[in-house]
Amino acid sequence: MNEKKGLVVVLSGFSGAGKGTIMKHLMSTYPGAYHLSISATTRPMRTGERDGREYFFKTREEFDRMIEEGAFLEYATFNGNSYGTPREYVSKLTAEGKDVILEIEVQGALQVRNIFPDALLLFVTPPSAAELKKRLVARGTETDEVISQRLSISVGESELMDKYDYLVVNDRLEDAVRHVHAIIQSEHAATRRNAELINDIHKQLEEFRKEQI
Amino acid sequence: MNEKKGLVVVLSGFSGAGKGTIMKHLMSTYPGAYHLSISATTRPMRTGERDGREYFFKTREEFDRMIEEGAFLEYATFNGNSYGTPREYVSKLTAEGKDVILEIEVQGALQVRNIFPDALLLFVTPPSAAELKKRLVARGTETDEVISQRLSISVGESELMDKYDYLVVNDRLEDAVRHVHAIIQSEHAATRRNAELINDIHKQLEEFRKEQI
């Protein structure tokens, strides 16, 4: 609200909790309000993808050099492909006053918090674990093994939920989307993010008082 | 959002910042969402007032006894009349899951925080000190002395602004009202207020995993 600098917002959540859908609707419901971080990846570009839109496509050598240079806020490897959030891209956007949203998993989220202690961490969850299980199973396409594996990951994630600032309980989609928006907007008004405004008001009031005396 | 217990919300702000107007519009815009704390006072009842509606009217003896019993969350004396926030009334409402709003000045706000560390403290301010001065002067009915005195109080208040959780910049009234609502609703989703839900989800996920193995 009064903050010139944009926020780094991290959105994580259980698989099946609806992160992606929330993100999509957040972007379309509040056009221009938020910017998505674009990750770098070593995975090959697919048909229809464009460099700098879906991902920044990098060779393994380029990616490893970026790691060495500390160019990533966080990175991780899945199935042999590496994915990372370029620090410079995020810093550039926030410096322009833009709120940047990073959709990343819990370990990455904690890495981001180490680099940006002021990052806002949101965790998306269904209203209950029973509902989470139902959603995982309802996808229909997964084997018991995959579901079991996902449950294991979810257990680990649930142990880190309290490292996040806010829960987003995804019961009704439109409520969850509105809620994410409200949390981010409110966060701009946190006093710790407005030290400059507070200081300005204080100094100006002091001056007015002197004029009156 | 998932919190059974209501929040204790403290609203303070500069004289002339529009606290009262925000409160009035908050109550009418979101009917039933919030409850106002009713203060006890030793000041005599005026025509049209009713005990337990505007205030709980108390004799000096009753009021002093309540102080001794620790019955007040905070109290203060202005022009010989004492005003206090009854702790029991607030606790009863929050136990029922109701968010209770206390409109009190800064010293009282800090007393409340001592008793309820989880209280949510909001500070209403005009967008700038210049605007604050303009609003103080624009009331028209005050002498230079009164304005000067208010400025002095405001200086003191500005020194305590950073003890609050959020600033509410009152530029456009309807924005400020919506903003207060968003802050309170978001606050319910803070992870530190949802330890029980987090723990439930974690335990249930553990059980599901065991069932699968």
Side-chain angles (χ1 to χ4, degrees):
Chain A
M1 159 168 223
N2 292 290
E3 177 78 341
K4 303 281 161 45
K5 228 184 144 206
L7 291 176
V8 175
V9 181
V10 172
L11 195 80
S12 305
F14 295 124
S15 173
K19 286 187 300 294
T21 317
I22 290 175
M23 286 289 273
K24 214 175 99 183
H25 282 79
L26 184 73
M27 304 303 278
S28 63
T29 309
Y30 307 98
Y34 303 110
H35 288 72
L36 282 186
S37 160
I38 300 173
S39 297
T41 183
T42 59
R43 104 156 152 60
M45 199 189 301
R46 292 175 189 155
T47 315
E49 289 184 336
R50 199 195 298 162
D51 187 38
R53 191 176 65 189
E54 283 79 8
Y55 289 98
F56 296 112
F57 293 95
K58 303 289 175 190
T59 64
R60 168 59 57 197
E61 292 68 35
E62 288 170 331
F63 198 96
D64 289 347
R65 202 180 324 119
M66 288 178 78
I67 294 176
E68 275 170 41
E69 293 167 356
F72 290 124
L73 281 178
E74 57 84 35
Y75 64 93
T77 301
F78 304 102
N79 304 322
N81 294 314
S82 294
Y83 299 81
T85 304
R87 179 202 290 247
E88 203 187 308
Y89 183 69
V90 172
S91 296
K92 180 179 162 290
L93 289 170
T94 56
E96 290 169 6
K98 290 167 181 160
D99 294 337
V100 184
I101 307 187
L102 281 58
E103 188 189 333
I104 48 181
E105 42 67 61
V106 289
Q107 298 300 341
L110 300 182
Q111 291 179 48
V112 171
R113 159 124 323 152
N114 277 338
I115 297 176
F116 290 131
D118 279 346
L120 176 65
L121 270 56
L122 312 184
F123 193 93
V124 182
T125 176
S128 67
E131 176 64 27
L132 173 60
K133 191 187 173 196
K134 211 172 95 185
R135 290 190 201 178
L136 285 170
V137 175
R139 292 190 168 191
T141 53
E142 278 85 352
T143 61
D144 276 9
E145 213 170 2
V146 170
I147 293 173
S148 177
Q149 194 184 14
R150 282 217 183 123
L151 270 174
S152 287
I153 293 173
S154 296
V155 170
E157 288 170 337
S158 71
E159 282 163 7
L160 295 170
M161 278 170 89
D162 63 358
K163 307 285 184 206
Y164 283 71
D165 298 303
Y166 294 93
L167 294 185
V168 177
V169 175
N170 189 8
D171 198 354
R172 289 181 60 239
L173 175 66
E174 52 270 55
D175 288 345
V177 170
R178 206 169 43 225
H179 202 60
V180 169
H181 180 65
I183 291 170
I184 299 174
Q185 295 310 309
S186 296
E187 192 64 16
H188 276 283
T191 47
R192 72 181 180 289
R193 296 188 193 273
N194 288 277
E196 207 176 317
L197 174 67
I198 291 174
N199 194 37
D200 281 356
I201 287 179
H202 178 61
K203 280 194 304 193
Q204 281 194 51
L205 284 171
E206 286 274 21
E207 278 164 35
F208 289 149
R209 183 170 56 174
K210 277 180 209 148
E211 286 169 24
Q212 286 260 341
I213 294 166
Chain B
M1 165 164 216
N2 293 289
E3 177 78 340
K4 305 280 160 48
K5 225 181 145 208
L7 290 177
V8 175
V9 181
V10 172
L11 194 80
S12 305
F14 295 123
S15 171
K19 285 187 301 293
T21 316
I22 289 175
M23 285 289 275
K24 216 175 97 184
H25 283 78
L26 185 73
M27 304 303 279
S28 62
T29 309
Y30 307 99
Y34 304 110
H35 288 72
L36 282 187
S37 160
I38 299 173
S39 297
T41 184
T42 59
R43 105 155 152 60
M45 201 187 302
R46 293 176 188 152
T47 314
E49 289 185 336
R50 198 194 299 160
D51 187 39
R53 191 176 62 186
E54 284 79 10
Y55 289 99
F56 296 113
F57 293 95
K58 303 288 176 192
T59 63
R60 168 58 59 195
E61 292 69 35
E62 289 170 329
F63 199 95
D64 289 346
R65 201 180 324 121
M66 288 178 78
I67 294 176
E68 276 169 39
E69 293 167 354
F72 290 123
L73 279 179
E74 58 83 35
Y75 64 94
T77 302
F78 304 102
N79 305 320
N81 293 315
S82 294
Y83 299 81
T85 304
R87 180 201 290 247
E88 202 186 310
Y89 183 70
V90 172
S91 295
K92 181 179 161 292
L93 289 170
T94 55
E96 290 169 6
K98 289 168 182 161
D99 293 338
V100 185
I101 306 187
L102 282 58
E103 187 188 335
I104 48 182
E105 42 67 61
V106 290
Q107 298 300 340
L110 300 182
Q111 290 179 47
V112 172
R113 159 125 321 154
N114 277 338
I115 298 175
F116 290 130
D118 278 347
L120 176 65
L121 270 57
L122 311 184
F123 193 92
V124 182
T125 175
S128 67
E131 176 64 26
L132 174 59
K133 193 189 171 194
K134 210 173 95 187
R135 290 190 200 177
L136 285 170
V137 175
R139 289 190 169 193
T141 52
E142 278 85 351
T143 61
D144 277 8
E145 214 170 358
V146 170
I147 294 173
S148 177
Q149 196 184 11
R150 282 215 184 127
L151 271 174
S152 287
I153 293 173
S154 297
V155 170
E157 289 170 336
S158 70
E159 283 162 6
L160 296 170
M161 277 170 88
D162 64 358
K163 307 285 183 205
Y164 284 70
D165 298 304
Y166 294 93
L167 295 185
V168 177
V169 175
N170 189 9
D171 198 355
R172 289 180 61 236
L173 175 65
E174 51 273 53
D175 289 346
V177 170
R178 205 167 46 223
H179 203 59
V180 168
H181 180 65
I183 291 170
I184 300 174
Q185 294 310 310
S186 296
E187 193 64 19
H188 277 283
T191 47
R192 71 179 181 291
R193 297 188 193 273
N194 289 276
E196 208 177 316
L197 174 67
I198 291 174
N199 194 36
D200 281 357
I201 287 179
H202 178 61
K203 280 196 304 195
Q204 281 194 51
L205 284 172
E206 286 275 19
E207 278 165 36
F208 289 149
R209 183 169 57 173
K210 277 181 208 145
E211 286 168 23
Q212 286 260 339
I213 293 167

